[in-house]
Amino acid sequence: MHPEVVTEIPGPKSTRLAAELRRHESRNVTYLSKEWPVFWERAEGVNVWDVDGNRFLDLTSAFAVAGLGHGRAELVHALTTQAGTLLHGMGDVHPTRLKVDLCAQLSALTYERWGAGEGKTVLSNSGFEAVETALKTAHLATNRRGVLAFEGGYHGLGYGALLPAGFDKFRAPFASQLADLTTLLPFPDSEGDLSATRARLAQLDASEIGVLMVEPIQGRGGIVIPPAGFLSLLRDWCDAHGVILVFDEILTGFYRTGALFACDHEGVVPDLICLGKALSGGFPISACVGKASVMDAWPVSAGEALHTSTFLGHPVGCAMALEALRLHQDPATLAAVQSVARTLGEGLQVLQMPGTSEIRGQGALWGLVFEDGAEANRVVLAMLQAGYLLLAGGPEGAVVTFTPPFEIAEDEIGSCLETLLGI
Ligand SMILES: Cc1ncc(COP(=O)(O)O)c(C=O)c1O
């Protein structure tokens, strides 16, 4: 089903809501202009309807959360059933059976599946909290302060998560309150660059570095795929220097890249893995899962957790995550991603879109690189007008990114690419 635009974009209701929002929400949160945004009202599968009755084809999965589709019936059922039974609990004091099952499932799908023993989990709400759990865990495990990360890396915006941030624009306004603990390396995107990474690592004094935080494929950084051997290079370096290796798979996890986790493509096992977004398919829940030996750097609770939060192990989030994990294990999910990889990947290649310099991606995660941010922005806006939801990423905003729900049909991708070529 192709998009259906029945009003100007944004329509009159969206325009009115934008004016109201301007009055009452901090002006930094929602970008508001004459042309942006539309206000969402409902969504189903690959379609989103706005308050003015326009139907959009969603090529974003709403920040790569709804890979299984918007409003997926099984997830809605898990949510409503659980909400009617126990809407909120006391996650770290009087937990639920669901938390037990979710932690066990996460262990089974990570460290046990990787043949690395059992995994242990700390649950949280947003992605950046899982990142901060990983940073704290690494500090407890190594007693070292230093953080190694990559330019263009995005790990969320909490104060802790800003330590490994590879985007200066997010750090700079708060830099005076952030400890100067971070070394940033360039993220490699070609064979040549890998030898540069190897050389840089060899020169580093690792004695004060406790953690290496990396996205196996950079998402917000502009869908940057490193050369084969990158993750094993990092694994070997961390092993040699006693540094905790963290894979931030908050974006890449759960088949987004064509494997359950992006690190599965290379068969490299991290010490800690951060998960979020598609973990539940729509409820704010995240997890830091670690090798039991590393996670046991945390002392046994003597009555009060050193790291927890009010909504940790939320019963609705756990119920949805368990259902999402079940759906992800259905072979139909991988088959759907493989079909998107073919149709979208090949479609972008043959498109030969003028003004673009590169197409990169795998699975259901693709980026089209434009000359600059202004051009990518123009394309995103024109596509919105035509009924397609897209986002721009990359350090300069020059990469139009595609992270569609896995069930998107071939003809929907076809109509999107045709429209793209015509704007
Ligand atoms: C790789 C990665 N890590 C961390 C985060 C932060 O997650 P959240 O926005 O849920 O805090 C994101 C969000 O886009 C992400 O892509």
Side-chain angles (χ1 to χ4, degrees):
M1 219 173 19
H2 297 166
E4 191 186 8
V5 173
V6 295
T7 67
E8 270 187 32
I9 305 283
K13 288 185 182 165
S14 278
T15 305
R16 269 202 305 279
L17 286 170
E20 260 183 67
L21 194 64
R22 173 61 89 215
R23 290 173 55 205
H24 300 299
E25 186 186 42
S26 160
R27 62 186 186 174
N28 183 255
V29 179
T30 309
Y31 173 68
L32 302 170
S33 78
K34 261 188 151 138
E35 299 157 301
W36 187 275
V38 293
F39 283 70
W40 288 21
E41 191 163 77
R42 69 188 173 94
E44 196 184 313
V46 295
N47 290 303
V48 174
W49 284 260
D50 76 359
V51 288
D52 290 291
N54 302 302
R55 179 166 53 78
F56 299 86
L57 186 69
D58 182 18
L59 279 300
T60 71
S61 299
F63 309 122
V65 168
L68 294 169
H70 287 286
R72 177 80 178 238
E74 296 92 329
L75 297 178
V76 172
H77 180 72
L79 179 146
T80 48
T81 310
Q82 185 53 43
T85 311
L86 179 72
L87 178 59
H88 172 61
M90 297 183 77
D92 65 325
V93 176
H94 299 299
T96 59
R97 166 76 202 224
L98 294 158
K99 187 174 88 161
V100 179
D101 291 347
L102 181 56
C103 291
Q105 269 292 304
L106 288 172
S107 168
L109 290 175
T110 56
Y111 291 91
E112 289 174 50
R113 186 174 60 92
W114 291 328
E118 287 191 324
K120 289 192 177 181
T121 288
V122 177
L123 293 172
S124 46
N125 311 306
S126 296
F128 83 84
E129 294 170 80
V131 165
E132 296 188 348
T133 307
L135 293 172
K136 282 187 172 179
T137 306
H139 180 60
L140 290 176
T142 64
N143 201 25
R144 297 184 197 162
R145 290 154 44 88
V147 175
L148 187 57
F150 288 88
E151 290 165 12
Y154 184 81
H155 305 285
L157 301 181
Y159 262 103
L162 283 176
L163 286 174
F167 279 77
D168 195 48
K169 65 180 173 190
F170 296 122
R171 278 178 71 100
F174 309 103
S176 66
Q177 282 195 302
L178 286 167
D180 184 13
L181 303 172
T182 307
T183 305
L184 287 179
L185 298 182
F187 192 81
D189 63 0
S190 71
E191 283 301 329
D193 282 343
L194 196 55
S195 45
T197 309
R198 190 175 291 112
R200 288 289 296 272
L201 286 170
Q203 285 162 6
L204 279 179
D205 173 6
S207 59
E208 272 307 304
I209 296 175
V211 64
L212 192 166
M213 170 83 60
V214 66
E215 293 164 84
I217 293 175
Q218 283 191 342
R220 187 90 179 249
I223 321 297
V224 189
I225 303 186
F230 175 58
L231 298 183
S232 7
L233 173 66
L234 301 183
R235 179 70 277 175
D236 292 346
W237 185 84
C238 285
D239 287 343
H241 298 281
V243 174
I244 299 294
L245 179 61
V246 184
F247 289 164
D248 178 348
E249 295 240 21
I250 286 166
L251 177 83
T252 51
F254 305 110
Y255 286 111
R256 177 54 58 191
T257 71
L260 181 54
F261 302 114
C263 63
D264 287 324
H265 293 294
E266 242 192 81
V268 177
V269 176
D271 297 306
L272 302 167
I273 184 167
C274 298
L275 304 171
K277 290 187 185 280
L279 170 59
S280 72
F283 193 90
I285 182 166
S286 58
C288 174
V289 190
K291 220 183 264 181
S293 57
V294 176
M295 269 294 174
D296 283 345
W298 290 92
V300 174
S301 173
E304 194 160 33
L306 292 177
H307 185 74
T308 183
S309 65
T310 305
F311 294 106
L312 178 148
H314 194 282
V316 176
C318 287
M320 281 182 71
L322 281 165
E323 187 56 23
L325 292 181
R326 193 186 67 75
L327 292 168
H328 278 123
Q329 287 171 81
D330 182 336
T333 301
L334 177 56
V337 177
Q338 285 167 339
S339 158
V340 174
R342 253 189 330 272
T343 321
L344 184 55
E346 286 169 17
L348 284 168
Q349 300 288 351
V350 293
L351 191 64
Q352 306 231 323
M353 174 91 185
T356 60
S357 58
E358 207 185 336
I359 291 149
R360 22 189 216 225
Q362 64 187 55
L365 179 67
W366 290 87
L368 191 52
V369 186
F370 284 82
E371 270 154 27
D372 53 34
E375 185 56 12
N377 196 36
R378 185 190 72 76
V379 168
V380 169
L381 278 177
M383 288 300 282
L384 183 73
Q385 305 284 337
Y388 297 89
L389 295 163
L390 285 164
L391 289 172
E396 321 298 334
V399 185
V400 174
T401 58
F402 299 77
T403 56
F406 305 155
E407 67 188 271
I408 190 166
E410 206 170 321
D411 73 316
E412 289 167 329
I413 292 175
S415 81
C416 168
L417 297 180
E418 208 175 294
T419 309
L420 197 59
L421 200 54
I423 59 172

